[in-house]
Amino acid sequence: MFRFALLVACLAPAAAMAACPTGDDLKTGIRFATSGGDTEEFSRFTEDTVASHYYVGGVLDSRVLLARGLYLSEYLVMKDGQPDLETRSTYAFPMAPGDMPLPAPGGVFSVNITVNDAGALYGETDIYTSGQETQVQFGSCAYRMIPVEFRFEPDETNSVELLHWLPDLGLSYLAKSTSPDGDDTYSYISIEAME
């Protein structure tokens, strides 16, 4: 009996680690939960693009497409579970998603893009500044994380978004946004692979 209990005790940490999602789980989806009860689901959209579906109170609120799991390429609000095309914004980069750089600690990526904001076209410069690699915890699951500050120019509001890039999963989530209207912080507390 003692040997069996010891074996179970030894295997329990391995089982807990095995339950933590990996990048391969983007095929079926990875779900995060926030401290406020919202959820965000990430899944593979194309080979080099990740889709994020954000749920508020269990209702689908928005969909985002992220080139390489980081760079915003499309945003739209959902209404009654369907895309509200009047809210659709697209962001065209001068290179294919697979050619876009992944964050590296201390790195900066600046790129000129074309924005189509519900039919209004304009150009902007997007600037991604990476901080030093650290670790982030979701329940019992720990992952490497590189904080990435996102700004764009011209921007009279001096808004900043803080993204958390998880290299082992190949995705990023919005952790904080700062604007003249104030700060919004998003605290992710759990993670699970979807089936």
Side-chain angles (χ1 to χ4, degrees):
M1 184 69 177
F2 174 75
R3 284 189 214 166
F4 177 74
L6 183 60
L7 178 61
V8 169
C10 290
L11 291 178
M17 287 181 63
C20 294
T22 69
D24 289 339
D25 289 308
L26 280 176
K27 296 172 188 172
T28 53
I30 298 172
R31 180 184 295 119
F32 289 81
T34 71
S35 58
D38 298 340
T39 57
E40 187 167 11
E41 298 176 357
F42 294 87
S43 59
R44 180 73 55 208
F45 188 75
T46 68
E47 182 180 354
D48 295 309
T49 306
V50 171
S52 158
H53 292 84
Y54 196 89
Y55 293 81
V56 176
V59 177
L60 182 57
D61 179 73
S62 61
R63 187 192 79 179
V64 172
L65 296 182
L66 302 169
R68 302 219 70 183
L70 175 70
Y71 303 102
L72 180 63
S73 59
E74 181 184 84
Y75 171 82
L76 59 85
V77 172
M78 308 297 282
K79 186 175 182 180
D80 298 324
Q82 299 298 318
D84 181 358
L85 296 181
E86 293 183 0
T87 67
R88 184 172 184 256
S89 296
T90 59
Y91 306 82
F93 290 78
M95 71 276 288
D99 295 329
M100 299 171 76
L102 294 177
V108 177
F109 175 56
S110 178
V111 60
N112 296 323
I113 70 166
T114 301
V115 180
N116 183 339
D117 186 5
L121 292 174
Y122 58 90
E124 70 180 33
T125 301
D126 289 357
I127 305 163
Y128 297 83
T129 304
S130 301
Q132 295 304 308
E133 183 177 304
T134 183
Q135 191 177 76
V136 67
Q137 191 94 17
F138 311 104
S140 61
C141 298
Y143 294 93
R144 294 184 299 139
M145 185 274 285
I146 297 175
V148 179
E149 278 194 356
F150 167 69
R151 303 171 185 266
F152 63 91
E153 298 175 349
D155 176 22
E156 296 177 357
T157 67
N158 293 315
S159 298
V160 180
E161 292 186 345
L162 176 63
L163 309 170
H164 283 180
W165 165 251
L166 307 178
D168 297 324
L169 297 181
L171 62 83
S172 65
Y173 60 88
L174 178 62
K176 183 178 181 180
S177 62
T178 301
S179 72
D181 295 331
D183 295 351
D184 289 314
T185 301
Y186 306 92
S187 178
Y188 288 69
I189 59 173
S190 68
I191 186 173
E192 63 178 338
M194 299 167 60
E195 295 182 1

